[in-house]
Amino acid sequence: DKGMFLENPLPCLELKRSFILGTQERRWRATLAHRFVEMLHTKLGKLTRWYTQNIDGLELQTSIPREKIVNVHGSMGAAACEVCGAEMDFGEFCSKIRTNIKDISGDDAEAPSQSTPIDCPRCNNPTMKPTIVLFRSSLPKEFHVRCQQDLPECDLLIIMGTSLTVAPANSLVYRVPMTSLRLVMNNEMVGRRLGIDYEDDSVRDVWASGYTDQSCLDLSERLGWLDDLATMADELPESSADLLRKKLAQR
């Protein structure tokens, strides 16, 4: 809650300390789905924008330029002041998290015993935090600006691993032109109330049924990208790497 954070920012930073530092240390790795989107940019040059509701910062492990990524709900992989919006280098922010914020899990013996605020270098308020959108906060202006720029020209919208129940991010589904194709990669039929058509005679909507990683791997195979993925195998989480190795073994 934004009001609670502004009143006392320390509990939020204490709760998120491990998540913040884990993001910087890459304790979690970008998946096959992330790498597939990356290759839409590097191999085809066809990625207009990547709108993500995830706050884990995994997309920042890819080579996709930052300006092509819209973190709809903010990110644990970036830091800014909640009051004035001034950004702070993420490495510097993490250093301050280590020295200023206690570890309530008790795992970090070098963490301080008491927390002290992290001040904004611009406005001096103790309100530096990850850019995650707090309850009762507005979405980033970038989301609205990019939507106005991108959606009228969209010819293919790929929808991955989402329930399509959270507004306004789910509005992208019906804000693209009627001529736009929509590919849904999900293990469930989502977005019917938003107009996605799962009937066999649908002319614009395609459902890739199953887990997103598997669907992205299958598409990568059809596009001839398996060798590219093979070079990234050691960087993938184990579940993604296992899928890739099995696919490569079948060739």
Side-chain angles (χ1 to χ4, degrees), residues 188-251:
E188 297 179 352
M189 295 181 181
V190 296
R192 280 177 161 171
R193 293 185 178 182
L194 303 175
I196 294 180
D197 183 2
Y198 289 94
E199 299 302 322
D200 292 339
D201 59 353
S202 174
V203 296
R204 65 178 302 212
D205 296 327
V206 178
W207 182 32
S209 176
Y211 290 102
T212 303
D213 259 14
Q214 185 65 61
S215 296
C216 288
L217 181 58
D218 292 342
L219 270 178
S220 296
E221 181 179 27
R222 288 176 177 267
L223 289 165
W225 294 350
L226 286 186
D227 288 338
D228 298 276
L229 285 176
T231 66
M232 308 175 192
D234 292 338
E235 302 173 19
L236 295 169
E238 198 56 37
S239 59
S240 292
D242 284 346
L243 285 175
L244 176 58
R245 293 188 187 105
K246 290 177 182 177
K247 178 71 73 173
L248 293 172
Q250 294 170 0
R251 292 200 298 177

Side-chain angles (χ1 to χ4, degrees), residues 38 62 86 166 175 224:
E38 181 180 19
T62 71
V166 179
R175 291 172 64 184

Side-chain angles (χ1 to χ4, degrees), residues 94-185:
C94 288
S95 294
K96 291 181 181 295
I97 288 289
R98 287 188 177 89
T99 57
N100 289 35
I101 305 301
K102 70 180 181 181
D103 177 20
I104 59 175
S105 71
D107 294 332
D108 186 355
E110 298 182 0
S113 58
Q114 296 295 324
S115 297
T116 53
I118 301 176
D119 293 338
C120 172
R122 180 196 290 171
C123 69
N124 296 318
N125 282 299
T127 46
M128 293 301 302
K129 57 176 265 300
T131 60
I132 54 173
V133 178
L134 299 175
F135 186 61
R136 302 185 197 283
S137 294
S138 301
L139 293 187
K141 291 182 180 179
E142 182 185 26
F143 170 72
H144 303 288
V145 171
R146 294 299 194 189
C147 282
Q148 291 180 347
Q149 293 174 346
D150 299 339
L151 300 186
E153 303 299 323
C154 176
D155 54 13
L156 171 62
L157 180 68
I158 302 177
I159 304 156
M160 291 185 175
T162 173
S163 63
L164 289 179
T165 59
V166 179
N170 62 0
S171 69
L172 273 65
V173 169
Y174 55 81
R175 291 172 64 184
V176 295
M178 291 297 295
T179 54
S180 298
L181 301 179
R182 300 182 297 194
L183 170 60
V184 180
M185 292 185 179

Side-chain angles (χ1 to χ4, degrees), residues 23-58:
T23 300
Q24 185 199 35
E25 296 164 2
R26 297 194 173 188
R27 295 178 198 166
W28 310 282
R29 299 181 181 184
T31 67
L32 284 168
H34 293 90
R35 297 305 179 182
F36 174 77
V37 177
E38 181 180 19
M39 289 191 293
L40 291 178
H41 171 68
T42 59
K43 301 283 289 183
L44 295 182
K46 294 291 187 180
L47 181 67
T48 299
R49 206 81 57 195
W50 186 357
Y51 292 83
T52 176
Q53 298 177 82
N54 296 331
I55 63 170
D56 52 29
L58 294 182

